[in-house]
C-alpha cells in the first residue's frame, strides 16, 4: 500500500496546479489539472477514463463496472478552485502547498482537492488489494463548481444512462470538529449578481469637478447601505416570501448538535455577533437566506492616489437562498430593488450568474446508514447530521435528473478557511477519509439486500 | 526655426515616457523622463542644467543668467503624470501618443507635458534667434506634483538663493475656450486620505458565513453614504468653519465671465447638476470645498466572482479646500468623523497625504499685465481671469518662500480631460503658447523700469 508520504506528494502536485475556474487567464491550468486527474484515475485502475469537453472547462469521467448485481456508487468532486486573491494575506504561496504541522496549506487544500482525492485513493487501494472494487464505481469530477457549474446540468441530462447509479457521494463539506464527523443534509442555494453603476460620461479631475458631480462611488455606497434594514434583515421587498422553515424537532436537534453562537463567532474570527434577530448564528447561516456584497471596485486600484472621480462603480453580490426561494425570482426582486434605489442621472447594468437551488436531503436511507457506520469504523464516533450554508449545485441535479440520493460525506474542518487565504486540510483526515470511503463501499456492497 | 512637425515629434517622445509618480513600479520611468527633460534643456541652450535628487523623484533645474539689470523669471512645470488606469477607457494607448485631428492624445498631454514644453521651446527659439534670452531664466521642473509635491518645499527652502526671482510662471491650467485665453488667479488646496476598515480576522466563505457577519463592504458603504448630507453639503462637523468667501464684485465678475452651469454640466458630461445648494457649478468647483471618494476597493477584483466576505475594505478620499481652511485641521475633523461613524467590531486605519494650501493670487501686478498683453498678441483676444478648482502645491510655496508673484498662464482646454482617459492637448495652442511665452519674456524685458 502507498504511504502517507506518497499521498502527500500527489496531493501537493494536485494543489500546485492553479485551476482557478473564474479566471479566463487560468484556462490552460484548469485543463492541465483535468489531465492530471485523468492520469490519476487511470493509475488507480479505473477501466474507462474520459474527459468531456464543455463550453469552458472539461468534466472528467471514469468508471469500473464489476457486476450488474452490485450497487453503483457515483463519486462527484470538483478539481477547480476559488481565486487566491488577495495574495498578500497568504503566509505561503497558494499554489506552492506547504506542510505545517498536521496541515497541508494551499488554495483548494480542503475545497475540494484533498476531499476528492480521498475517494480516488480509496478506489485505488480496493482495486490494488482485491483486484476490483466491491461495488460498481462511477466518478464525475468537474472544473466549474466554483463558478456555479454552468455546463453540468446539460451534461448530466445528456448522459443520464451513463451516469445512472444507486447513490452519489460528495465530499465537499465539513465535519463538526476533528473528533466529530458529520453528514451534511442540507445546502443553501446561490445566486450571483454583478451591478455596475454608470454616472457621468467620463472620469473627471477631482479638483476641477469635485463638489459639482454626483459621484458614482457615493451613489453605489448609498445603494449598498440600503441592502439591509436596521434589524439586519435584507431590505429587498418580498425577499423572505415563501421560505419553508424546519419544524420544532429539527430546530431542537440543530440547537443540541449544531455549533453554538460562541463556536460560530470563534470560527468566523469576528469581534461580535451580527445577523437577523430571532435566530442563532448556525440558523442564520443555514436555514435563513443572506445577501453578501463580495466585492466593490471603483477608481484607481493601484498604490498611491489618483485624484479623479470615476464614471462608474461596480459591486458583486452573492445571495444564498433556502427552501421556498427560487434564484430566478430573487434575481427579479433584486434587480427591481436596485433599479428603485438607483438615483436619477445614473444607469445601472446588472449581470446575474451561477443560479443554484437549495436542497434538503432525506436522512434515513441505507446509503446514509452505510456512511454512518463507515465513519464510526474510521473515527470511532457516530457522525452527527449538519445543515450547511454552502452550495453544491450538483446535489439538486442528481436528485432531479438521476433520482439518486446523495451522501455528503465531509472531511474538512470548520477552520480550514475554504475560499479564504491560507486554506488548509487536516492530513490525519486524509487517511481516515480513505478508510471511511473504503468502509463505505464495503458496507454498501453488503447492504445490497436493502436496495 | 524648428517646424511644428519637429515639436510634435519631441512632444510624442516626452508623453511616451510613463512618468507616473504615484506608482512605485514606474520609478525608473520617472527618472528616465527627468533625464530626457535635462537633455532638452541643454539642447535649448540653457547654461546650467542639473537634477536635484530627492527622497523619491528628481527635480530638474536649469538657468541662463544674462544680466543683473534684467528681471529673472522662474518657469515651473511638472514632468510626472497621473496613473492611466482604467486602461480599458482609453481609445489609444496612454503612453503611445497619437494625433487625432488638431489634438495629441496621451496621458500627460495637457497635464503638464505640452504646457511645460511650451516654455522650453520659447526659450530655445529666443536663444536661437538672439543668442540669449531677453530676461534671466530659471527653470524648475518637478516629478512629484501629482502626489502633492512632498519634497519640493524642503528643496525650495534650502535653495532660496538659487531660485530667487522676480516672478514665477506656471502653465498647468485651462483657458476658458480655444478662442478665449485665461489667467487663473486662485487654486483650491488639497488633502488625500486613505481609509481601511478592518472587520473579522480573515476572509470568509459567503455561503458558510453569509448572514452571520457584519460585512466590511457594508460598513464602509454606510460610512461613505454619510459623508454628505441630504442637501449635498459635506457632513463632517466643522468642515465649513472659517471659510473666506469672495466679495460681491468678484462674484459678479465670476458670474459674468466664468463658465455657466450649462457649460459646466456639458464639460463634465453629467446628466444633471449636483452640489451644494445656493451656489453655481463654477462656484462649487472653485470657492467651495469638496470631498470626493476617488476609489473603493474590497474583495476579489478579477473577472468573475469569488464568493467570500472580505475582511477589510478601503476607500481613498480627496478633499479640496478653500481659503480659511487648513489641511491639518480638515485631517483632524475627517479622522474624528470617520472614527465616529465606524461601527463597533471594526478597526479603522487612516493615512493622510499630499496636503496643499489653497491660494488666491493678486491680479494687478506688472507681470500679469505683461502676460495679458502677450496673450492678446498671440491669440488676438484679452484673457479673462478665472478661479480654478485644481491644486498646484508650489504656488503657495513660491508665495511664502520666494515672495515672488506667480502668473498662471494656462494653455489647456476644459475638454482636455486632465486625469481622465484619452487626455488630450489642442496642438494649435502649442504654437500660440510658444508665441505667448516669447512675447511675455519680451514684454517683461521692456517692463523692467516698473520693477
Amino acid at each position: 500500500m502507498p504511504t502517507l508520504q506518497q499521498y502527500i506528494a500527489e496531493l501537493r502536485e494536485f494543489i500546485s496546479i492553479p485551476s482557478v475556474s473564474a479566471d479566463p487567464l487560468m484556462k490552460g491550468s484548469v485543463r492541465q489539472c483535468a489531465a492530471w486527474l485523468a492520469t490519476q484515475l487511470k493509475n488507480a485502475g479505473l477501466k474507462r477514463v474520459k474527459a468531456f469537453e464543455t463550453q469552458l472547462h472539461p468534466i472528467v469521467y471514469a468508471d469500473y463496472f464489476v457486476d450488474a448485481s452490485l450497487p453503483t456508487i457515483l463519486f462527484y468532486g470538483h478539481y477547480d478552485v476559488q481565486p487566491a486573491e488577495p495574495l498578500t494575506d497568504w503566509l505561503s504561496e497558494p499554489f506552492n502547498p506547504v506542510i505545517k504541522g498536521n496541515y497541508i496549506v494551499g488554495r483548494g487544500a480542503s475545497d475540494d482537492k484533498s476531499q476528492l482525492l480521498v475517494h480516488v485513493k480509496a478506489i485505488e487501494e480496493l482495486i490494488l488489494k482485491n483486484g476490483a472494487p466491491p461495488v460498481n464505481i462511477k466518478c464525475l469530477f468537474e472544473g466549474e463548481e466554483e463558478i456555479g457549474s454552468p455546463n453540468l446540468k446539460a451534461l448530466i441530462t445528456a448522459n443520464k444512462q451513463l451516469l445512472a447509479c444507486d447513490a452519489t457521494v460528495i465530499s465537499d463539506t465539513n465535519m463538526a470538529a476533528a473528533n466529530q464527523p458529520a453528514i451534511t443534509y442540507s445546502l443553501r442555494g446561490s445566486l450571483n449578481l454583478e451591478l455596475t453603476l454608470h454616472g457621468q460620461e467620463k472620469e473627471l479631475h477631482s479638483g476641477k469637478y469635485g463638489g459639482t458631480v454626483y459621484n458614482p462611488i457615493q451613489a453605489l455606497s448609498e445603494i449598498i447601505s440600503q441592502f439591509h434594514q436596521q434589524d439586519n434583515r435584507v431590505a429587498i421587498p418580498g425577499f423572505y416570501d415563501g421560505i419553508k422553515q424546519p419544524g420544532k424537532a429539527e430546530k431542537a436537534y440543530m440547537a443540541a448538535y449544531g455549533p453554538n453562537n460562541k463556536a460560530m463567532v470563534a470560527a468566523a474570527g469576528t469581534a461580535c455577533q451580527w445577523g437577523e434577530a430571532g435566530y442563532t448564528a448556525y440558523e442564520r447561516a443555514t436555514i435563513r437566506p443572506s445577501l453578501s456584497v463580495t466585492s466593490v471596485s471603483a477608481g484607481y486600484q493601484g498604490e498611491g492616489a489618483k485624484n479623479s472621480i470615476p464614471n462608474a462603480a461596480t459591486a458583486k453580490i452573492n445571495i444564498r437562498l433556502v427552501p421556498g426561494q427560487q434564484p430566478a425570482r430573487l434575481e427579479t426582486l433584486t434587480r427591481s430593488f436596485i433599479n428603485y434605489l438607483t438615483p436619477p442621472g445614473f444607469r445601472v447594468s446588472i449581470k446575474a450568474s451561477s443560479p443554484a437551488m437549495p436542497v434538503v436531503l432525506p436522512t434515513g436511507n441505507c446509503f446514509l446508514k452505510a456512511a454512518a457506520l463507515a465513519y464510526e469504523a474510521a473515527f470511532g464516533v457516530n457522525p452527527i447530521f449538519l445543515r450547511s450554508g454552502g452550495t453544491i449545485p450538483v446535489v439538486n441535479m442528481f436528485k432531479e435528473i438521476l433520482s439518486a440520493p446523495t451522501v455528503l460525506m465531509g472531511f474538512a474542518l470548520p477552520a480550514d478557511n475554504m475560499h479564504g487565504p491560507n486554506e488548509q486540510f487536516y492530513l490525519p483526515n486524509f487517511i481516515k477519509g480513505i478508510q471511511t470511503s473504503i468502509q463505505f463501499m464495503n458496507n454498501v456492497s453488503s447492504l445490497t439486500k436493502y436496495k
Side-chain angles (χ1 to χ4, degrees), chain A:
Chain A
M1 287 292 144
T3 64
L4 179 59
Q5 289 315 309
Q6 282 171 271
Y7 287 149
I8 290 174
E10 287 173 292
L11 198 48
R12 288 178 74 150
E13 269 183 41
F14 196 14
I15 297 169
S16 69
I17 308 169
S19 50
V20 180
S21 50
D23 188 344
L25 298 175
M26 298 280 192
K27 205 180 168 188
S29 299
V30 179
R31 179 163 292 270
Q32 185 197 339
C33 198
W36 183 92
L37 190 54
T39 303
Q40 276 281 323
L41 290 162
K42 274 174 210 148
N43 294 345
L46 283 141
K47 292 289 185 192
R48 183 165 52 162
V49 179
K50 71 172 285 184
F52 286 97
E53 291 299 328
T54 75
Q55 287 186 314
L56 191 53
H57 304 307
I59 296 172
V60 180
Y61 171 84
D63 62 24
Y64 193 126
F65 177 77
V66 186
D67 188 320
S69 71
L70 291 171
T72 300
I73 300 296
L74 187 152
F75 292 95
Y76 164 91
H78 65 91
Y79 66 85
D80 64 320
V81 299
Q82 283 279 323
E85 284 82 358
L87 302 180
T88 46
D89 285 358
W90 285 78
L91 301 173
S92 57
E93 289 172 45
F95 298 108
N96 186 9
V98 294
I99 308 298
K100 289 194 180 168
N102 275 321
Y103 292 89
I104 184 163
V105 182
R107 168 58 81 228
S110 59
D111 184 8
D112 180 42
K113 288 180 170 173
S114 302
Q115 298 203 69
L116 182 162
L117 208 60
V118 153
H119 298 295
V120 177
K121 293 301 159 191
I123 295 163
E124 184 174 342
E125 291 203 6
L126 283 167
I127 295 173
L128 204 62
K129 192 175 162 197
N130 306 322
V135 292
N136 300 313
I137 304 276
K138 293 179 179 179
C139 293
L140 188 71
F141 298 146
E142 73 158 323
E144 299 177 344
E145 197 269 350
E146 298 294 5
I147 53 170
S149 304
N151 295 302
L152 192 60
K153 193 170 185 177
L155 182 124
I156 296 175
T157 307
N159 295 279
K160 209 175 149 178
Q161 273 316 109
L162 180 72
L163 301 173
C165 59
D166 296 292
T168 62
V169 173
I170 303 174
S171 292
D172 193 13
T173 47
N174 285 353
M175 311 218 310
N179 57 0
Q180 180 55 66
I183 293 173
T184 295
Y185 67 98
S186 88
L187 296 161
R188 293 199 286 188
S190 190
L191 174 68
N192 284 339
L193 295 162
E194 182 172 331
L195 96 90
T196 300
L197 200 63
H198 304 271
Q200 80 283 356
E201 273 167 33
K202 55 191 177 182
E203 197 182 349
L204 294 172
H205 191 296
S206 63
K208 297 192 188 302
Y209 293 98
T212 71
V213 295
Y214 197 168
N215 184 340
I217 295 180
Q218 184 184 336
L220 180 68
S221 299
E222 288 164 356
I223 290 173
I224 293 173
S225 71
Q226 291 176 81
F227 282 159
H228 289 84
Q229 299 169 178
Q230 285 285 340
D231 60 4
N232 303 334
R233 278 168 68 93
V234 176
I236 299 169
F239 189 79
Y240 294 93
D241 288 0
I243 289 178
K244 289 176 196 144
Q245 292 292 277
K248 274 189 182 174
E250 191 188 333
K251 286 190 94 170
Y253 180 90
M254 289 177 71
Y257 293 95
N260 60 27
N261 286 351
K262 206 175 147 191
M264 288 286 289
V265 163
T270 52
C272 47
Q273 286 192 56
W274 185 91
E276 195 183 355
Y279 296 92
T280 67
Y282 176 42
E283 288 172 339
R284 287 169 183 160
T286 57
I287 63 169
R288 302 300 295 170
S290 66
L291 182 154
S292 303
V293 181
T294 57
S295 164
V296 281
S297 185
Y300 177 59
Q301 300 292 310
E303 214 176 306
K306 184 183 174 197
N307 287 334
S308 60
I309 300 164
N311 65 344
T314 296
K316 296 176 189 177
I317 298 165
N318 177 234
I319 291 173
R320 297 287 170 154
L321 49 146
V322 297
Q325 294 183 304
Q326 313 283 337
R329 184 167 172 273
L330 289 184
E331 183 189 330
T332 305
L333 294 176
T334 310
R335 281 180 182 274
S336 299
F337 191 55
I338 292 169
N339 284 325
Y340 163 74
L341 294 178
T342 300
F346 288 91
R347 181 174 65 79
V348 70
S349 57
I350 303 171
K351 279 188 293 186
S353 63
S354 307
M357 286 293 289
V359 70
V360 180
L361 298 167
T363 52
N365 64 57
C366 62
F367 298 100
L368 284 172
K369 196 168 178 182
L373 291 170
Y375 264 126
E376 201 188 346
F379 287 84
V381 199
N382 263 320
I384 58 166
F385 285 90
L386 284 180
R387 279 182 178 261
S388 167
T391 305
I392 309 172
V394 75
V395 177
N396 201 60
M397 299 174 199
F398 285 157
K399 188 179 162 191
E400 287 191 355
I401 307 165
L402 301 183
S403 305
T406 291
V407 182
L408 292 171
M409 195 187 281
F411 299 113
L413 297 182
D416 281 353
N417 216 18
M418 290 181 178
H419 293 205
N422 308 303
E423 181 182 344
Q424 61 186 12
F425 187 76
Y426 184 59
L427 287 169
N429 278 10
F430 194 75
I431 300 302
K432 287 185 184 167
I434 294 170
Q435 291 165 351
T436 308
S437 180
I438 288 173
Q439 193 61 48
F440 171 76
M441 285 186 264
N442 286 333
N443 290 350
V444 168
S445 179
S446 66
L447 278 169
T448 48
K449 53 185 168 185
Y450 300 112
K451 271 183 78 182

